[in-house]
């Protein structure tokens, strides 16, 4: 068993990967561990020729309880982080990726996330969420397929 802090780390920008090197770049549950998340996302967008697929926990559900996460994102924050590099198509699902649903009604999903994050409506939102069909519920993970500009 190794201490997680003993692993060597490098900045993604130090890897000297040429621009547009990969058709699709995948980053699964990494961005929440990166100090400079904006630079990291810009770098991923730079090396992707067509698309970036990226996942991260949904703070509205998980509340950043994992001690190795520097931050977690609400769905709105996640979309804002990614929108400078391309057109963002949002998905939601569980951590293992066995449940994945496209966010078909962005405004409704953002509203449910906001209600979950507002203390006076948190409990009611959690109860309401249990009665929604699975595809309409809040989920523990955000995902996005970003079409690079």
């Amino acid at each position: 068993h190794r201490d997680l802090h003993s692993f060597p780390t490098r900045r993604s920008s130090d890897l000297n990967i040429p621009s547009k090197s990969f058709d699709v770049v995948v980053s699964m549950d990494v961005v929440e561990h990166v100090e400079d998340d904006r630079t990291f996302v810009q770098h991923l967008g730079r090396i992707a020729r067509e698309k970036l697929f990226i996942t991260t926990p949904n703070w509205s559900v998980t509340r950043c309880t994992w001690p190795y996460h520097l931050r977690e994102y609400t769905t709105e924050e996640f979309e804002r982080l990614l929108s400078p590099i391309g057109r963002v198509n949002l998905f939601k699902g569980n951590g293992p990726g066995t449940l994945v649903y496209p966010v078909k009604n962005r405004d409704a999903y953002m509203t449910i996330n906001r209600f979950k994050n507002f203390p006076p409506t948190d409990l009611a939102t959690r109860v309401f969420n249990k009665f929604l069909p699975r595809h309409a519920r809040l989920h523990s993970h955000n995902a996005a397929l970003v079409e690079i500009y």
Side-chain angles (χ1 to χ4, degrees), residues 30-78:
V30 174
V31 69
E32 63 274 9
H33 300 274
V34 177
E35 277 188 43
D36 189 351
D37 57 344
R38 294 198 189 302
T39 299
F40 177 70
V41 166
Q42 289 170 354
H43 177 70
L44 296 177
R46 182 185 65 76
I47 64 173
R49 188 175 301 124
E50 296 175 22
K51 295 178 181 171
L52 164 65
F53 182 75
I54 184 169
T55 68
T56 192
N58 181 355
W59 183 87
S60 300
V61 176
T62 59
R63 300 291 195 221
C64 202
T65 57
W66 186 248
Y68 300 106
H69 290 180
L70 299 177
R71 81 195 61 71
E72 289 181 2
Y73 306 87
T74 65
T75 304
E76 284 181 280
E77 292 167 337
F78 188 53

Side-chain angles (χ1 to χ4, degrees), residues 3-5 16 19 34 37-38 40 55 57 63 66 71 87 90 110 114 118-119 121 131-133 137 142-143 149:
D3 178 5
L4 290 176
H5 296 290
N16 296 321
S19 295
V34 177
D37 57 344
R38 294 198 189 302
F40 177 70
T55 68
R63 300 291 195 221
W66 186 248
R71 81 195 61 71
R87 187 171 149 303
L90 293 169
M110 297 295 186
R114 278 189 225 111
F118 185 55
T121 57
F131 291 99
L132 291 172
R137 292 180 189 167
N142 292 313
Y149 292 133

